[in-house]
Amino acid sequence: MILDLLRHASTGRHGYLDGRTDPPLLDDALDPVCRRHSGIGWARVISSPRRRALDTATALVAGSDLFCEIHPDWAELDFGDWDGRHFDAIPAEQLAGFYDEPHAVVPPNGESWAAFAARIEAQLQRLLDEDADEHAHAGPVLVVSHAGVLRFALSRICGMPLAATWAVRIDYGTRLRLRMERGDDGQLWGELLELRQP
């Protein structure tokens, strides 16, 4: 299947760890995203429940016969006590440890990377199941979500080490197009077809 993963439009909060924290989009944030990505012909549009993602998805389907499916498992990692805080407000050695080894470092009172990865993996597998059952060859599926979700999916589907995804710019409004399949062993695999910035 063809999967488009799109990071929501800008909240103007570069450098903040916004997981469950849900700041609104900037007033003019949707225009460049819609100009860049509207009219693609998606078969389905799914959104994280966070308002910043849902507002982006809603704008992208405006004027079409599509509606936004909302699923809580597409939400960003919950950063616990760090959530909503700027990088500079978090002890540098703790933050560095989290980025160097997210599997080993859990933000205080936050979601573990293992739990985050498991819920995103389950949604990717679900999309493949549903595509085979109902939507095969109907067009790409769009998921509007968050930077952490896009990085995990890119790593998981394309077999990239997670650390390597930091070399890929995933700014607000970035869209990744992936071809995703399941091997005979049940494992996901695929390739990056396109990376578009707003």
Side-chain angles (χ1 to χ4, degrees):
M1 71 172 289
I2 302 300
L3 174 63
D4 281 353
L5 291 163
L6 188 137
R7 186 181 179 193
H8 60 81
S10 180
T11 60
R13 286 175 57 87
H14 287 283
Y16 285 83
L17 294 172
D18 290 332
R20 69 181 184 279
T21 302
D22 200 12
L25 299 177
L26 295 176
D27 289 343
D28 58 352
L30 289 169
D31 291 342
V33 175
C34 289
R35 278 196 305 270
R36 188 65 163 161
H37 303 300
S38 288
I40 288 178
W42 295 295
R44 299 173 68 188
V45 176
I46 304 167
S47 176
S48 155
R50 301 292 181 245
R51 177 57 56 185
R52 59 195 187 269
L54 185 55
D55 287 350
T56 303
T58 300
L60 286 168
V61 301
S64 75
D65 58 357
L66 292 172
F67 67 96
C68 297
E69 304 170 42
I70 303 168
H71 200 291
D73 284 350
W74 287 109
E76 180 63 283
L77 181 80
D78 182 341
F79 293 101
D81 294 350
W82 297 350
D83 213 283
R85 297 171 66 188
H86 193 274
F87 293 157
D88 295 343
I90 298 166
E93 66 279 0
Q94 292 180 23
L95 190 63
F98 173 74
Y99 280 104
D100 290 343
E101 296 184 82
H103 297 282
V105 177
V106 179
N109 298 308
E111 181 179 21
S112 72
W113 188 264
F116 172 73
R119 67 176 163 87
I120 303 304
E121 169 86 17
Q123 291 310 305
L124 293 170
Q125 294 281 1
R126 183 178 64 86
L127 286 178
L128 280 171
D129 290 340
E130 292 172 352
D131 184 71
D133 291 343
E134 303 172 18
H135 301 281
H137 312 297
V141 172
L142 172 66
V143 174
V144 181
S145 192
H146 310 273
V149 173
L150 270 67
R151 290 187 192 285
F152 173 78
L154 180 63
S155 170
R156 181 69 186 84
I157 294 167
C158 297
M160 295 174 62
L162 186 62
T165 68
W166 292 106
V168 179
R169 183 170 176 260
I170 300 180
D171 203 352
Y172 296 119
T174 295
R175 180 173 57 85
L176 303 177
R177 173 162 284 191
L178 301 167
R179 182 172 62 86
M180 178 174 68
E181 299 185 20
R182 184 186 292 128
D184 293 338
D185 59 359
Q187 296 298 308
L188 299 176
W189 65 275
E191 60 184 338
L192 176 63
L193 300 178
E194 185 180 8
L195 189 156
R196 285 286 182 101
Q197 304 289 351

